[in-house]
Amino acid sequence: MKPIRLTQVLLLAFIMMDCGGKTNVNVYDNFDFNTLSPDLLATGEKVYANSCFPCHTYGTAGAASLFDFKEWDKVAEKGMDVILKSVMEGYQGANGVMPPKGNCWTCTDEEIRTSILYIFHEVKNNRLQSN
Ligand code: HEC
């Protein structure tokens, strides 16, 4: 039997950590982001249109607009867990304050999560179109 190499053990440990979803994976590399179904996207869009739109479309009240690519790159690096917490609890950034749940009082965790993924989806599309 061949001895197991250290690199193989490390690789396996890395893969297992990633599957646990506990690492702060950049949103653009996140499994959920890359497997977003049309249904989820539609739910995210609905929440966005009802609640997030007033601030994030044109960058009102200090919010990043969907064309502020650099701002969203910084946010993406935090990973979904941290970002979801920011929106659920409300967030004080350098440029302004976001109310808890982005003002969607009746939204569930899952709906908020979907609206965040929708934002990143739109930002990614806007960036592709502006290149
Ligand atoms: C009243 C205006 C307002 C509304 C409504 C709003 N936001 Fe925000 N949002 C902000 C501001 C202001 C910031 C912080 C900007 C900064 O960095 O200073 C922010 C930041 C964020 C961030 C980055 C958080 C972080 O950890 O960096 C995300 C993600 C986000 N908003 C998503 C949403 C979603 C999803 C909705 C709708 C459910 C929403 N926002 C509704 C104003 C708003």
Side-chain angles (χ1 to χ4, degrees):
M1 206 175 90
K2 277 200 230 163
I4 300 174
R5 292 181 192 197
L6 182 62
T7 47
Q8 287 172 330
V9 174
L10 285 177
L11 187 68
L12 199 66
F14 183 75
I15 291 167
M16 284 178 353
M17 263 162 48
D18 207 32
C19 290
K22 290 289 173 211
T23 51
N24 294 347
V25 187
N26 186 302
V27 174
Y28 294 115
D29 301 326
N30 180 303
F31 178 77
D32 291 347
F33 179 74
N34 289 300
T35 56
L36 257 178
S37 69
D39 272 6
L40 276 184
L41 213 49
T43 304
E45 183 172 13
K46 214 180 287 170
V47 174
Y48 179 85
N50 286 335
S51 303
C52 327
F53 176 91
C55 295
H56 285 285
T57 298
Y58 302 110
T60 313
S65 84
L66 301 188
F67 288 87
D68 286 338
F69 307 132
K70 280 190 185 151
E71 283 300 316
W72 289 111
D73 278 349
K74 276 189 255 166
V75 177
E77 280 174 16
K78 296 180 179 180
M80 272 311 278
D81 290 355
V82 173
I83 299 171
L84 180 60
K85 194 163 177 274
S86 297
V87 182
M88 289 305 287
E89 295 176 0
Y91 181 74
Q92 162 87 67
N95 306 309
V97 180
M98 173 165 56
K101 291 187 167 191
N103 271 344
C104 186
W105 303 109
T106 55
C107 276
T108 61
D109 277 40
E110 187 54 25
E111 283 168 326
I112 294 294
R113 208 177 64 83
T114 312
S115 67
I116 296 169
L117 291 171
Y118 172 78
I119 288 181
F120 281 103
H121 176 84
E122 289 299 289
V123 171
K124 188 179 177 182
N125 280 350
N126 289 343
R127 172 153 36 200
L128 287 175
Q129 280 163 24
S130 69
N131 273 339

